[in-house]
Amino acid sequence: MNIAAHMLRAGRAYPERAAIATGARVLFRYGELAERVGKLAHALRRQFNLVPGDHVGLALSNCPEYVEILYACWHAGLVAVPVNAKLHANEFAFILKDSEARLCFAADELSSIVGDAVQTTIDVNGNDYAQMLGTEPLPLSAVNPEDPAWLFYTSGTTGQPKGAVLSHRNLLAMAWCYFSDVDQQSPWLSILHAAPMSHGSGLYAIAHVMQASCHVIPESRGFDAAEIYELIEAWPALVFFAAPTMVKRLLDHASDTDTVNLKTIIYGGGPMYVEDSLAGLERFGPKLAQLYGQGESPMTITALNSRIHGKSDHPRWHERLASVGIPQSAVEVRIANKDDEPLASGEIGEILVRGETVMSGYWCRPAASAETLRNGWLHTGDFGCLDEEGFLTLKGRTKDLIISGGTNIYPREIEEILLKHPDVAEVSVIGRTDREWGEVVVAYVVPQSAEQTDSDVLDRFCIDNIARFKRPRHYRFVDALPKNNYGKVLKTELRLTEQRYRQ
C-alpha cells in the first residue's frame, strides 16, 4: 500500500484533530493537512511534470511544511530525498546530484546553497509554494509495496554517503515496530520534532500520522533544552526522538519543570551510557526507550522499551540498560564471525539483520549493495553479542576494534568504565598504532570541570575496574569531542589528531 493513505484516513476520520503546530500554536488540523497534501501532490505531477518514481529533495531545517511535503511526494508516487540541513554546500550538491533529484524544496539560505544541483528549487516561503496549494487535490497514486519511498543517505563519516533505498513496505513495517516494540503504550497524542526531520524524527512522523498525532515543531526549529521543557508542559502525551547527547543536555539543564505530560523520550543514534540512563530515569521516571537501527534498516534492529528501562528489581537491570534491547518484531538478528557463521550466546561478532525493514540496496551502488547484503543478511559493520535472553550489547564498529597484543579490545567497554568516574563528562576511546603491541588504547576525555583531571587517577580507576591490558595507555584531555551533525563522535578525526601527537 501507499503509506500516504494514512494521511487521507486521518483527514477523513479526524478532520478537527490538531495536526501541525509551531510551539504551542496549532497551524493545521488533519482535515486541512490532508487537503494540502493532495494539492501539493497535484502540483508536483501536473505543474512540474514529475512522474511516479521521480526523486524530490528536501533541503529544509525542521519546519511546519516538512510533513506535508513528505506525504505529498508519496501521495504522488514520488520518492523523497531528505537532506540534513546542517550539511556543507558540497555535501548538498553531492546528495542531490547522486540521487538524481529533479526538484528540491528548500528555505532561507538553503535555497541558494542548493544552487545548480537540481533542475528546479522551490522556496517553501515563496510564491511558488503558495501557488502549488491553489490546485485541486490529486487522487492517491497506486504503488507497489516494493516501490521506493525514501532515499536515506548515510552520514558519510567515512567516504561519500550512500543512499539506502527504503520502500513503502519498509516504512510501514518500521511504523508497526514503533507500536509493538518501541513505544507500546497509548495514547499517542503529540510528537515533538527537535531532532532532524531528515532522519529519525521524520521517520517517526509516519507512525504518528497513523495515530493522527499532532506534529509539534519548536519555534527554534531545533533543540534548546529550556524550550523543550516548556513544550513538555504545553502538550499532553508528548513523545520525541533524541540523540543521547540531547538527553544529556536536558539532564544538565537546571529545571524543575513538571514532566507529567511527557510520554516517552526515544533515544538512539549513539551510545547512551548506563550512568546517563540512570540519571534520566531519576529525572523523568520510566519514560525512556532506546532503539538501535541504521539507515539501511531504519529505526528497526533492536529496542529497549520503557517497561524494561523501569524494571529496577530485575537482577540484571544494569546489564540490560547497557544493552540496546531485543530484536524488533519485523527482523531477525544474529551474531556472526568473519565467515558469516552464527556465533553462540555471549560470543562477540558482527551484527547481521534480515527482515521487513531492511533496504533493497544502495542507490546506484550495486557492488556496495551486494557486499552489505551478502547471503541475504544486512551486514551492519557493528560488533556485538547476544545474551541467552536475546538482549544485544554493542561493542563498537568493526573499524573501531582495537587489537592489542593479539587480543580484541572493545572501546565501548572502556568508555562505560571511565564515565563512572565523577571527573569525566565525556570520553571516546580509539586505538593507536604501536610497534610492540600492534595497537594501544588511547582515551580522549572531556573533564567535568575546567580543572584538568589527573591521568594517574583515571588509570588507577581503570585498573580497579577492568582488566589491566584494556586500560588506556594515554589520556588526552580536550574541551570537546568532535561530532557530526547527528551528534555522533567522529573517531576518524580523533585518529587524525592522534597521528599529530606522534609527529
Side-chain angles (χ1 to χ4, degrees):
M1 67 175 290
N2 188 329
I3 54 175
H6 300 137
M7 180 64 76
L8 284 176
R9 183 185 68 166
R12 291 166 181 160
Y14 309 105
E16 296 304 316
R17 188 174 290 183
I20 303 290
T22 297
R25 180 170 59 95
V26 175
L27 299 180
F28 303 111
R29 301 186 181 276
Y30 267 98
E32 301 169 89
L33 182 60
E35 185 175 19
R36 288 171 66 92
V37 164
K39 290 179 176 180
L40 289 172
H42 185 279
L44 287 168
R45 290 282 297 276
R46 304 290 185 259
Q47 181 180 339
F48 293 97
N49 299 316
L50 301 187
V51 298
D54 278 346
H55 295 177
V56 176
L58 283 76
L60 300 164
S61 58
N62 291 4
C63 61
E65 295 82 9
Y66 215 108
V67 172
E68 66 186 21
I69 292 172
L70 282 175
Y71 275 84
C73 290
W74 300 329
H75 190 110
L78 308 172
V79 183
V81 187
V83 187
N84 190 316
K86 296 181 179 179
L87 295 183
H88 187 275
N90 292 341
E91 296 169 304
F92 272 106
F94 173 83
I95 290 173
L96 293 172
K97 288 180 179 179
D98 184 77
S99 67
E100 301 176 10
R102 288 193 55 198
L103 179 149
C104 183
F105 290 95
D108 305 322
E109 70 278 2
L110 295 181
S111 296
S112 58
I113 288 176
V114 169
D116 299 327
V118 292
Q119 297 174 9
T120 305
T121 302
I122 299 172
D123 191 324
V124 298
N125 298 318
N127 290 331
D128 288 346
Y129 192 82
Q131 289 173 4
M132 292 176 71
L133 293 164
T135 61
E136 291 297 315
L138 180 79
L140 182 67
S141 299
V143 300
N144 293 316
E146 302 306 328
D147 285 347
W150 187 311
L151 207 55
F152 188 104
Y153 273 80
T154 59
S155 57
T157 56
T158 55
Q160 295 282 19
K162 299 184 290 291
V165 180
L166 305 176
S167 67
H168 288 262
R169 184 194 297 277
N170 293 150
L171 297 181
L172 182 59
M174 177 204 68
W176 285 339
C177 282
Y178 176 86
F179 300 118
S180 64
D181 305 305
V182 180
D183 189 29
Q184 300 165 312
Q185 299 162 324
S186 63
W188 297 273
L189 297 181
S190 50
I191 176 170
L192 173 63
H193 294 292
M197 295 178 74
S198 55
H199 284 64
S201 198
L203 285 163
Y204 271 168
I206 296 167
H208 283 269
V209 166
M210 291 171 70
Q211 292 293 331
S213 297
C214 185
H215 299 262
V216 181
I217 313 298
E219 292 186 5
S220 67
R221 304 296 178 91
F223 183 90
D224 176 83
E227 184 182 24
I228 299 303
Y229 279 115
E230 290 175 3
L231 292 171
I232 289 172
E233 285 192 299
W235 291 96
L238 185 69
V239 171
F240 63 97
F241 174 74
T245 51
M246 295 178 179
V247 179
K248 194 169 190 315
R249 283 166 60 189
L250 284 174
L251 295 172
D252 291 341
H253 183 77
S255 172
D256 58 359
T257 301
D258 187 343
T259 57
V260 66
N261 275 348
L262 178 64
K263 181 178 184 291
T264 318
I265 299 176
I266 304 160
Y267 62 90
M272 174 77 94
Y273 298 104
V274 172
E275 294 301 308
D276 293 332
S277 295
L278 293 171
L281 290 168
E282 182 177 354
R283 174 65 178 91
F284 303 117
K287 298 180 179 182
L288 298 180
Q290 180 179 195
L291 66 89
Y292 162 57
Q294 294 185 333
E296 294 84 349
S297 182
M299 317 297 276
T300 336
I301 296 178
T302 62
L304 192 72
N305 63 37
S306 59
R307 285 183 292 185
I308 297 173
H309 270 84
K311 196 167 179 55
S312 58
D313 59 349
H314 192 280
R316 298 182 61 246
W317 184 45
H318 280 206
E319 292 177 57
R320 287 182 164 190
L321 290 180
S323 79
V324 289
I326 61 176
Q328 295 192 33
S329 51
V331 296
E332 299 173 69
V333 176
R334 71 161 48 160
I335 305 298
N337 62 18
K338 60 183 177 60
D339 297 317
D340 284 359
E341 297 168 336
L343 297 175
S345 297
E347 292 191 73
I348 298 172
E350 186 176 6
I351 301 165
L352 309 187
V353 184
R354 69 179 177 188
E356 292 294 294
T357 59
V358 174
M359 68 171 185
S360 58
Y362 294 116
W363 174 250
C364 293
R365 299 286 194 282
S369 300
E371 174 64 19
T372 301
L373 298 173
R374 65 184 183 274
N375 299 324
W377 291 83
L378 168 66
H379 289 64
T380 66
D382 288 336
F383 272 127
C385 62
L386 286 165
D387 68 17
E388 293 183 354
E389 296 176 316
F391 284 77
L392 174 67
T393 298
L394 297 181
K395 297 297 184 179
R397 295 288 293 169
T398 52
K399 67 181 187 305
D400 294 334
L401 174 68
I402 301 168
I403 303 177
S404 184
T407 302
N408 291 353
I409 298 174
Y410 300 93
R412 178 162 178 172
E413 181 181 7
I414 304 165
E415 291 164 355
E416 287 273 14
I417 293 297
L418 284 170
L419 279 168
K420 292 180 180 179
H421 195 282
D423 293 343
V424 176
E426 289 187 282
V427 64
S428 185
V429 168
I430 62 170
R432 166 179 151 176
T433 303
D434 182 83
R435 180 174 295 180
E436 180 180 0
W437 295 97
E439 287 183 294
V440 294
V441 178
V442 180
Y444 278 76
V445 176
V446 178
Q448 282 284 10
S449 64
E451 186 176 337
Q452 192 177 77
T453 306
D454 191 301
S455 59
D456 291 337
V457 171
L458 294 184
D459 198 52
R460 173 51 56 187
F461 187 74
C462 285
I463 290 171
D464 290 344
N465 286 278
I466 55 174
R468 179 179 287 267
F469 74 88
K470 296 180 182 180
R471 80 187 197 280
R473 298 297 181 91
H474 305 280
Y475 294 88
R476 313 295 189 203
F477 296 99
V478 294
D479 294 332
L481 297 174
K483 296 174 182 175
N484 68 8
N485 292 316
Y486 312 103
K488 294 181 181 179
V489 175
L490 295 171
K491 295 200 177 194
T492 50
E493 288 197 15
L494 292 180
R495 293 188 188 100
L496 291 173
T497 300
E498 191 60 28
Q499 288 179 11
R500 291 193 286 271
Y501 272 103
R502 303 192 66 188
Q503 294 174 354

